[in-house]
């Protein structure tokens, strides 16, 4: 905890003195525009059906990730896995998740297929999660480690994609409002799932089924959303206008 506190303190101090609110030259037209205030932004998000569906999906995915990380020891210990094995599982979940987020994030940045990416990652996560449940009975560290790595590879990318998708759906609402609501929903669902698992005697299969059900709900919720890329639309429209005015 002391080592972690030192790292966080150093980053905090550097951020206070070196991190600027915005660059001198805005990176895009949408970035240069003023965002709505807190209360209008909150009301706008609450009235946005597609964002509310995304909020449900994000909450279920992040809730499943939080529950898995919190209850991983309770899930695997009945099958003979040790604390060291669970450390391996946790490390693979994080590392492979970062790799997956980088790769999928790059693809989505180029294609702007936020909805499709969210649906695909949710479905792949669902299948890999179910696969992880079945590998536990093999009592093999190698097999279960591969399964956990695949879960992280598919599950984590859903989170950064959802942040961007939420910003696109709610523009000109500020990123802080959108991200704050998504994070709040994810934490609440995570607490609810951990509490539900406790009420059901922390059965490994029950915990996994709760998380898998949440991921399935997430995929269905994103499917019902309407992909309206407001921020990208503003930037694309401005780029076309500028290109028409430039001489050949």
């Amino acid at each position: 905890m002391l080592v972690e506190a030192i790292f966080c303190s150093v980053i905090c101090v550097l951020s206070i003195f070196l991190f600027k609110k915005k660059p001198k030259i805005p990176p895009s037209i949408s970035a240069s525009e003023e965002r709505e205030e807190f209360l209008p932004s909150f009301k706008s998000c609450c009235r946005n059906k597609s964002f509310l569906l995304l909020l449900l999906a994000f909450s279920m995915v992040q809730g499943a990730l939080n529950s898995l990380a919190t209850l991983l020891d309770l899930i695997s210990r009945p099958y003979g896995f040790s604390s060291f094995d669970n450390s391996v599982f946790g490390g693979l979940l994080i590392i492979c998740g970062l790799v997956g987020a980088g790769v999928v994030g790059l693809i989505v940045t180029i294609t702007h297929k936020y909805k499709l990416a969210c649906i695909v990652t949710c479905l792949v996560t669902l299948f890999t999660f179910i696969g992880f449940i079945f590998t536990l009975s093999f009592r093999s560290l190698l097999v279960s480690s591969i399964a956990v790595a695949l879960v992280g590879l598919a599950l984590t990318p859903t989170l950064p994609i959802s942040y961007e998708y939420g910003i696109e759906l709610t523009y000109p609402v500020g990123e802080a409002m959108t991200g704050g609501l998504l994070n709040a929903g994810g934490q609440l669902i995570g607490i609810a799932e951990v509490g539900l698992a406790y009420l059901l005697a922390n059965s490994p299969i029950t915990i996994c089924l709760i998380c898998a059900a949440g991921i399935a709900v997430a995929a269905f919720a994103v499917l019902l959303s309407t992909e309206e890329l407001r921020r990208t639309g503003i930037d694309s429209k401005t780029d076309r206008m500028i290109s028409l005015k430039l001489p050949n």
Side-chain angles (χ1 to χ4, degrees):
M1 294 299 293
L2 179 61
V3 171
E4 184 176 353
I6 292 172
F7 275 112
C8 293
S9 299
V10 171
I11 294 172
C12 179
V13 171
L14 292 175
S15 299
I16 292 173
F17 291 102
L18 301 179
F19 194 82
K20 297 181 180 180
K21 181 179 180 180
K22 56 184 177 181
K24 293 181 179 179
I25 301 176
S28 63
I29 296 299
S30 60
S32 65
E33 296 185 352
E34 292 295 327
R35 300 305 175 89
E36 295 180 354
E37 297 297 328
F38 177 83
L39 190 58
S41 296
F42 181 75
K43 291 180 178 178
S44 179
C45 289
C46 292
R47 291 193 297 263
N48 191 319
K49 179 182 176 182
S50 293
F51 176 74
L52 293 177
L53 289 168
L54 178 66
L55 175 60
L56 174 62
F58 181 93
S59 300
M60 289 298 177
V61 172
Q62 190 179 43
L65 179 61
N66 291 345
S67 300
L68 179 61
T70 303
L71 304 174
L72 188 57
D73 183 70
L74 294 176
I75 294 172
S76 62
R77 190 170 293 277
Y79 295 92
F81 293 100
S82 64
S83 298
F84 172 79
D85 298 334
N86 287 309
S87 299
V88 173
F89 293 155
L92 288 172
L93 188 68
I94 295 171
I95 294 172
C96 293
L98 292 174
V99 173
V103 174
V104 178
L106 179 61
I107 295 173
V108 174
T109 300
I110 297 172
T111 62
H112 297 291
K113 300 294 184 181
Y114 298 98
K115 179 177 178 178
L116 178 61
C118 285
I119 293 173
V120 171
T121 52
C122 285
L123 291 177
V124 174
T125 299
L126 180 60
F127 289 117
T128 55
F129 205 94
I130 294 174
F132 169 65
I133 298 173
F134 285 104
T135 61
L136 291 174
S137 59
F138 297 152
R139 299 178 183 270
S140 169
L141 177 61
L142 176 61
V143 175
S144 294
S145 294
I146 294 174
V148 169
L150 292 176
V151 171
L153 202 64
L155 177 61
T156 306
T158 308
L159 305 181
I161 296 171
S162 297
Y163 286 128
E164 290 295 315
Y165 190 26
I167 294 170
E168 292 283 354
L169 292 174
T170 58
Y171 181 86
V173 171
E175 292 86 349
M177 172 61 70
T178 306
L181 289 174
L182 292 175
N183 279 327
Q187 298 301 324
L188 289 174
I189 293 297
I191 293 170
E193 290 186 350
V194 171
L196 182 59
Y198 174 77
L199 293 176
L200 297 176
N202 287 329
S203 167
I205 299 299
T206 301
I207 296 170
C208 291
L209 289 177
I210 291 172
C211 294
I215 296 170
V217 170
F220 186 69
V222 176
L223 182 64
L224 294 178
S225 68
T226 301
E227 190 175 41
E228 185 180 1
L229 306 184
R230 299 180 180 181
R231 183 183 61 176
T232 299
I234 291 292
D235 292 332
S236 299
K237 182 179 179 180
T238 305
D239 289 341
R240 287 195 299 269
M241 292 175 63
I242 293 174
S243 64
L244 289 174
K245 291 180 180 180
L246 292 175
N248 295 327

